[in-house]
Amino acid sequence: MKTILTGIRANSVLTLGNYLGAMLPMVKLANKYSKEGCNVNIFVPDLHSIISEVDGDLRENILRTIKYYLAAGLEVNENVHIYRQSYVPAHSELCWILNCNTTMGEASRMTQYKEKSEGKASSNVGIFDYPVLMAADILLYSAEYVPLGEDQFQHIELTRNIAERFNNKYGEVFVVPVSTKEQVEFMGVEKPIRIRDLVNPEKKMSKSTASENAKIMLDDEPLKATKKIMSATTDSFEDIEFDFETRPGISNLLYIEALATGVPLSEVVQKWQGISRYGDLKKQVANTVSELLVEFQRRMTEISDDEVLRLLSEGEKYANEVANAKLLEVQKAVGLR
Ligand code: TYM
């Protein structure tokens, strides 16, 4: 039985980028594959959260993040497992063993580490070790498919390298996740998804960007989100074309429209191509996003903490069983047991 696994950190309210780039695609895959008998693991990497500042109360953020999945349409059945990383101690334990099988060079090359530590006199060791813990999250459950946004793809490659090296040294212990190319195919998209910053579309939309207008948060008033889209940076060409290289702002809006409506990107592009009224496209996208937020925020109010806690307690029982069995295999392979 194949395993699909993914996680989103719970540091704050999520952005539309997290939602369209990772949460919605995962929910669609989860609903499809769990019914076909695959395991679907959705977890909150709460230990990854504390590498940087947490906005508000972490415990509340964790429950809210699980509610996001449910509000996004996740259908829970016996193959869907929802858990918190810190409730499964095997993650930290395996991370240590993987640390001893990861080179400083590999970990130092991770773009996210470089970006997060750039310009800082000193940054914490957790930021550096973050991708190795992520590898442990994946390898403990023998997950082959790990749906993620573009910024996380380098960490899949690292996970594959660590797993292959470990298997060569100690025997076939880990299932190696499929290549990033196959991950993208599995997600059913042409390229890894990267929703851009609305003010500076060269960058990804990120919760850590200071400018409020650059990002849409999932708890934004729909009217506020509308205004942000209407003022989004476009370009100085005369008509609409989809090309992230030369027209990142307009392409981002087309991409948001496609992902938020579920209409294939090619159809959205075909509809708007050659049209010169950027304002019309902006109005359309603003309307789509506003409707999405109204519906999403309404669904959020219908999910109780009790329901989430019940799912977590079931999921954590399952996760501990699977993770402890794999950890024991690893411990035996390296001679600790
Ligand atoms: P995190 O919490 O930074 O991001 C969560 C997911 O959202 C995606 N994402 C985006 N996608 C498209 N456009 C954007 N602008 C955008 N911004 C964020 C990210 O690519 C990601 O998929 N390391 C992970 C959490 C993690 C994890 C794991 C995931 C820890 N262990 C094991 C999978 C498997 C992270 O920090 O995601």
Side-chain angles (χ1 to χ4, degrees):
M1 201 197 258
K2 289 197 188 314
T3 297
I4 306 163
L5 175 146
T6 201
I8 293 192
R9 291 186 302 148
N11 288 55
S12 65
V13 172
L14 294 187
T15 66
L16 189 70
N18 294 123
Y19 185 76
L20 296 178
M23 191 164 272
L24 208 51
M26 179 62 189
V27 165
K28 285 190 185 145
L29 295 171
N31 291 347
K32 176 169 186 259
Y33 286 97
S34 66
K35 286 187 199 117
E36 292 177 11
C38 295
N39 280 311
V40 173
N41 290 16
I42 293 183
F43 78 108
V44 178
D46 50 358
L47 295 172
H48 278 111
S49 289
I50 59 172
I51 60 151
S52 54
E53 285 303 311
V54 173
D55 290 347
D57 183 86
L58 181 55
R59 273 165 305 176
E60 276 172 26
N61 290 355
I62 292 168
L63 297 189
R64 191 181 54 226
T65 304
I66 306 290
K67 287 184 189 174
Y68 282 153
Y69 278 105
L70 299 173
L74 178 68
E75 295 163 20
V76 183
N77 57 40
E78 72 279 9
N79 294 330
V80 177
H81 312 289
I82 300 175
Y83 52 92
R84 291 162 284 195
Q85 184 186 40
S86 73
Y87 280 69
V88 188
H91 288 241
S92 315
E93 184 82 22
L94 180 61
C95 176
W96 179 258
I97 297 174
L98 298 183
N99 277 337
C100 302
N101 288 279
T102 307
T103 67
M104 291 291 288
E106 286 178 306
S108 315
R109 275 196 294 278
M110 294 296 110
T111 313
Q112 206 176 45
Y113 158 68
K114 287 197 245 169
E115 281 173 5
K116 283 198 194 302
S117 56
E118 203 178 14
K120 292 194 182 143
S122 86
S123 53
N124 70 57
V125 177
I127 293 179
F128 182 67
D129 203 24
Y130 176 110
V132 185
L133 178 58
M134 186 163 163
D137 300 335
I138 297 167
L139 299 176
L140 271 179
Y141 301 90
S142 307
E144 281 171 277
Y145 298 102
V146 189
L148 290 164
E150 191 215 30
D151 60 316
Q152 296 294 316
F153 269 67
Q154 205 186 16
H155 298 158
I156 302 272
E157 281 308 329
L158 178 71
T159 302
R160 283 166 51 83
N161 291 342
I162 296 174
E164 277 166 5
R165 181 176 313 123
F166 190 97
N167 285 351
N168 284 337
K169 190 167 172 194
Y170 297 107
E172 290 296 309
V173 173
F174 293 126
V175 170
V176 181
V178 302
S179 69
T180 46
K181 185 170 168 283
E182 287 168 275
Q183 300 284 353
V184 174
E185 281 164 13
F186 179 73
M187 286 179 75
V189 289
E190 279 162 41
K191 282 196 337 181
I193 304 174
R194 183 173 185 231
I195 299 298
R196 311 293 180 106
D197 179 300
L198 296 175
V199 174
N200 177 1
E202 301 292 335
K203 296 192 334 194
K204 75 161 189 173
M205 184 184 287
S206 164
K207 41 198 167 204
S208 50
T209 307
S211 161
E212 279 300 314
N213 281 338
K215 55 194 177 189
I216 291 180
M217 307 305 294
L218 291 180
D219 66 351
D220 272 357
E221 285 269 323
L223 189 62
K224 192 166 150 195
T226 303
K227 287 189 185 142
K228 290 181 189 178
I229 293 197
M230 291 309 290
S231 64
T233 306
T234 45
D235 53 53
S236 51
F237 291 96
E238 293 194 339
D239 57 1
I240 297 172
E241 287 291 336
F242 183 81
D243 182 354
F244 266 122
E245 292 301 316
T246 54
R247 305 170 185 216
I250 274 294
S251 303
N252 194 34
L253 294 181
L254 292 166
Y255 210 8
I256 291 175
E257 175 70 8
L259 290 166
T261 54
V263 175
L265 180 63
S266 54
E267 277 179 37
V268 173
V269 172
Q270 206 180 10
K271 178 174 167 197
W272 290 95
Q273 209 156 27
I275 293 178
S276 55
R277 294 179 305 274
Y278 285 3
D280 289 354
L281 174 63
K282 283 185 169 179
K283 264 189 222 150
Q284 170 66 41
V285 179
N287 195 30
T288 299
V289 170
S290 155
E291 279 175 13
L292 181 147
L293 290 178
V294 168
E295 178 58 10
F296 180 80
Q297 290 168 5
R298 185 190 62 73
R299 286 201 224 147
M300 283 294 285
T301 62
E302 291 173 350
I303 307 158
S304 69
D305 284 3
D306 283 353
E307 186 181 347
V308 173
L309 290 168
R310 185 182 57 77
L311 292 172
L312 285 171
S313 118
E314 282 169 17
E316 282 153 13
K317 189 164 169 286
Y318 166 89
N320 272 296
E321 276 167 21
V322 176
N324 287 341
K326 181 54 81 180
L327 179 63
L328 182 60
E329 225 183 295
V330 173
Q331 288 168 327
K332 283 183 179 161
V334 299
L336 292 164
R337 294 288 183 278

